[in-house]
Amino acid sequence: MAKTFIARLMIGCVVLASSYSQPNYSAENPSSVFPIFQEGVDFTELPVKLPPAQAAAEGSPGISDPDLVLVFWYGSESSFQVLSALSQTQYSDSLSLWPAVFRERWRPAAKLALKANKLGLTTEQHLQLMLRVISNKPDWSQPGTEQELLSPIVENTDNEQIDTEQLELILRDTAIPKELKTIQNRINSYPISSVPTIIFKGQFVVTAEQAKTSRRLLQILDFLNQRQYQLTNDSG
């Protein structure tokens, strides 16, 4: 059953990759490249970003946040699909992953995701780890569960900076709960209550409900990217 489930996920991602292509932007006629999306329907535009120091003091979204953030949960099939879609585009180069804790039962997987971030796993490795969590439904109360999930991926990596010793140190890292709380506070400073959700340039939020499909999410990002490009050129 687990193999069938994984195959179904992967087939969906392959179909998406074959049906989506990055548009060639046209400043003269952007609507010819992709549909026009509506604020409040297809995405949420946030108030003007605050300077980093002020944003940090007020716990508000600020210009110090990454250009592209995926708020996700390892146990979410739709989070897997969105991450897989993003990994096949130019957006993967600037993507940051913020594990969310909107329910207490999400906390163990969020800790695992944060440890994976600290290990420097690639997007592809995150996807492998997500598949293991989704298909195996691990018992987080059992000692060694995190190591059992991470070890096969770390052992197969070409990154010489990741070794068994580093894995052991990160698995025992006592700062993880505090760091996870910091990330959750940053998430809570945006109008976000579900996964997967995209934060784009600290100024736009796109939820799964707004995007509807992974392919449409990529089109919305292209639209917002072009819109920001045009605004920058117009102001310059």
Side-chain angles (χ1 to χ4, degrees):
M1 183 177 293
K3 289 183 178 179
T4 303
F5 173 75
I6 292 173
R8 178 166 57 84
L9 278 182
M10 297 309 297
I11 289 171
C13 294
V14 169
V15 170
L16 170 65
S18 63
S19 64
Y20 173 80
S21 60
Q22 184 65 27
N24 294 316
Y25 293 137
S26 170
E28 292 78 17
N29 188 15
S31 62
S32 66
V33 181
F34 38 65
I36 299 298
F37 295 102
Q38 283 187 289
E39 196 283 327
V41 177
D42 304 298
F43 61 90
T44 301
E45 185 167 5
L46 306 175
V48 177
K49 293 176 287 186
L50 300 173
Q54 185 179 351
E58 298 183 13
S60 302
I63 58 178
S64 60
D65 282 344
D67 278 353
L68 182 63
V69 176
L70 172 62
V71 178
F72 74 109
W73 176 49
Y74 264 173
S76 161
E77 181 179 335
S78 54
S79 290
F80 174 87
Q81 291 170 340
V82 167
L83 180 57
S84 182
L86 289 168
S87 73
Q88 299 169 60
T89 71
Q90 92 276 7
Y91 294 114
S92 63
D93 296 335
S94 58
L95 181 63
S96 295
L97 301 176
W98 287 1
V101 185
F102 291 128
R103 296 174 177 83
E104 190 56 35
R105 68 184 180 88
W106 290 14
R107 191 172 300 279
K111 288 181 179 179
L112 178 68
L114 184 53
K115 290 175 182 180
N117 276 345
K118 297 188 76 169
L119 280 168
L121 296 194
T122 65
T123 301
E124 182 60 36
Q125 289 169 330
H126 273 285
L127 286 168
Q128 293 173 24
L129 195 50
M130 289 178 78
L131 274 180
R132 291 174 64 83
V133 171
I134 292 170
S135 60
N136 295 331
K137 294 180 172 53
D139 181 355
W140 299 104
S141 65
Q142 293 298 315
T145 298
E146 290 182 334
Q147 186 162 11
E148 183 179 335
L149 290 165
L150 274 170
S151 290
I153 294 170
V154 171
E155 289 168 1
N156 292 326
T157 184
D158 294 328
N159 189 343
E160 296 179 356
Q161 295 180 344
I162 302 177
D163 55 27
T164 304
E165 184 178 349
Q166 184 188 12
L167 175 60
E168 292 288 345
L169 286 173
I170 289 179
L171 286 173
R172 297 196 304 267
D173 191 346
T174 57
I176 291 293
K178 183 177 180 180
E179 292 174 9
L180 189 61
K181 183 176 181 180
T182 298
I183 290 176
Q184 189 62 41
N185 286 340
R186 294 175 78 179
I187 293 172
N188 291 341
S189 69
Y190 290 91
I192 297 174
S193 58
S194 62
V195 298
T197 296
I198 289 287
I199 303 170
F200 187 62
K201 297 188 181 299
Q203 193 173 349
F204 304 98
V205 167
V206 186
T207 66
E209 183 177 4
Q210 290 173 318
K212 295 181 175 61
T213 66
S214 295
R215 186 175 186 276
R216 194 167 180 275
L217 168 65
L218 297 177
Q219 292 176 328
I220 294 171
L221 288 177
D222 290 336
F223 171 78
L224 294 174
N225 201 31
Q226 177 66 359
R227 174 177 152 168
Q228 291 298 96
Y229 173 80
Q230 290 179 303
L231 288 173
T232 301
N233 280 357
D234 291 345
S235 63

